[in-house]
Each structure stands twice: as C-alpha cells, then as structure tokens.
Amino acid sequence: MTGRPAPAALPPTLRRWLGPIAALAALLVLLLGVRYADASKPGRVDARIGATVDGVGPPWRHVALALDFLGEPGGAAMLIVATVTGCLLLRRPRSAVLVVAGAGLTVGTATLLKHLAGRTIHGADNLSYPSGHTAFLTALALVAALLASGRLGLGRTAGTSLVLATALAAGAAMGWAQVALGAHYPTDVLGGWCTALAVTPATAWLVDRTADRLTDRTADTGPRPRR
C-alpha cells in the first residue's frame, strides 16, 4: 500500500469550468421542462428538425435501432459492465463508482423529470421529456472523457473541450436515433443531454468528496506507531 489516494473522478483542473456549465445545463433543463410541460405536440423547432430526421429508412434505421438498444436495459447493462471493467483495469476505482452512480442518478433524474413535466408523445402513456436514452449515453461518455482527461493530464481548456466534445458526440448520436425512430422530440433530446451534463459532474464531485473523507477517516483511525 502506497497510501496515495486514488485518482479523482473529476480532475481538479476541470472543476472550475464544469461547475458553471453544469449549472447552466440544469437551468436549461428546467426552462425546457416548464416550456413544454403537459404538451403532447411538437414545438416549432421540434417540427422543423423532426421533418428532416423522422422516419429514416434502411440502412440508417438499423443504425438508429442499434443505438436505441444501447439505452435499453440489456444494452445499458452491457455498457456499464464494460465501462466499469475498463476503469478497474486502469486502476481508477473512483471512475468505476462514478459509472454506476452517475448513470443511475442521471437516468433517475430524467425519469423524475418525465413525471414532473408530463410531456407526452404518441399517446398519454408515453412520457417523453427529457430523453432517458440520451441522458444515459451522454453520462457514460462524460465519465469516459473525464477519465481520459485525468490520465492524459490535460489542462483546463483541453480537458473541458474533450469532455464537451465527447458528450456532444454521444448525445447527438443517441438523440438522432431517438428522433429518427419517432421516440422523442428534438427538445426532449436536448433536455436529456443537459440532464447528463448537469448531474454527472456533480456526481463525480460527490464521489471524490466521499472518497476523500473515507480516506481521511481511515488515516485518522489507523494504527499508531509504537514508542
């Protein structure tokens, strides 16, 4: 045992910038939720974007279905197990915890917001805002980007750019699939992306905070040297 703490789930260099970004994302989630509360039809932006994306045919429909599967219980479980295994192999236990906690809290938050917003698509039983599939994949992408940023020792600008670009790529891919399959409105997708961007960095901070406290407590209660 070296006594050194495990690498942080949220690299210290990124905390100053990701904090305000997460706060802005949370604000946008709330604003969109209020704007589309109890709605059952697409807004103007939804209609314009949806008209160009909705109803794609083969082979792109198969791609959309494959992406959609990654957000279903079976596909999500596979992704989580693979990502946790990768974190442990890289000796990043905090990141492994963040995979489970971050994805769980993000999806849980999205599910709660669905019931609060009450927006529906294709019937009163299909709550749509925000997109849980988009939130889930974006959350995993954020964890992977935070891990890469820490291992590569990226600075504030490069690290934040990597995190945002990775999150945008994952969110755009899953979001496109959800709109193409008619499962969500484009603004649902944006809400899901922002939900992950708000919840995951905050969860990473909590994971580090809790781990640091446990480490300090263990050090304080450790064996005392003999006189």
Side-chain angles (χ1 to χ4, degrees), residues 99-199:
V99 172
V100 179
L105 288 175
T106 297
V107 173
T109 301
T111 302
L112 176 62
L113 290 172
K114 283 178 185 289
H115 291 279
L116 292 176
R119 190 185 197 188
T120 59
I121 185 171
H122 306 315
D125 295 332
N126 298 315
L127 297 174
S128 66
Y129 180 86
S131 167
H133 281 61
T134 306
F136 168 73
L137 194 64
T138 303
L140 280 191
L142 282 168
V143 175
L146 290 172
L147 173 59
S149 180
R151 282 189 61 83
L152 295 174
L154 299 181
R156 186 182 305 170
T157 301
T160 303
S161 298
L162 174 63
V163 169
L164 293 179
T166 304
L168 182 60
M174 182 60 83
W176 166 81
Q178 296 306 298
V179 176
L181 294 173
H184 284 284
Y185 304 116
T187 43
D188 296 337
V189 168
L190 178 58
W193 185 75
C194 288
T195 299
L197 198 59
V199 174

Side-chain angles (χ1 to χ4, degrees), residues 63-79 133 174 178 181:
V63 175
L65 288 171
L67 286 169
D68 179 72
F69 171 73
L70 297 178
E72 295 296 323
M78 291 171 55
L79 280 181
H133 281 61
M174 182 60 83
Q178 296 306 298
L181 294 173

